[in-house]
Amino acid sequence: MSSGKGLELIKEIMKRVHKGGFDRVIKNVEILSCADGKCSAKFNVSDEQVNMGGGLHGGFTATLVDNITTYALMSKGTHPGVSVDLHVSY
């Protein structure tokens, strides 16, 4: 899948999926590129994403990893799959 087509596909999916439910927590994540099994994104940490210590919330970190890696899989034209075992070290 070319970079342009992969990126446009993921952006369209984000528009539809992240309107409601839990996935809306990553609504401000901008996908920069997405092709050939690789996906790059950026976002600014806001108050709604930090924990009581002022750092990025661990649940938000895991959600980012889960979603962005799924987009990377989709950019290869494969089924997105489902995470069944996700390990994030802090």
Side-chain angles (χ1 to χ4, degrees), residues 13-32:
I13 289 169
M14 287 185 73
K15 280 188 221 173
R16 294 176 187 205
V17 173
H18 300 150
K19 286 184 178 181
F22 181 77
D23 282 332
R24 74 175 174 261
V25 299
I26 67 167
K27 66 184 179 290
N28 294 326
V29 173
E30 179 184 354
I31 303 298
L32 302 175

Side-chain angles (χ1 to χ4, degrees), residues 3 18-20 24 27 32 36 42-43 47 50-51 53 55-57 60-61 65-68 71 82:
S3 179
H18 300 150
K19 286 184 178 181
R24 74 175 174 261
K27 66 184 179 290
L32 302 175
D36 302 321
K42 74 174 187 175
F43 71 98
D47 289 340
V50 297
N51 57 28
L56 187 61
H57 191 281
F60 186 78
T61 303
V65 170
D66 189 31
N67 280 268
I68 303 302
Y71 302 153
V82 176

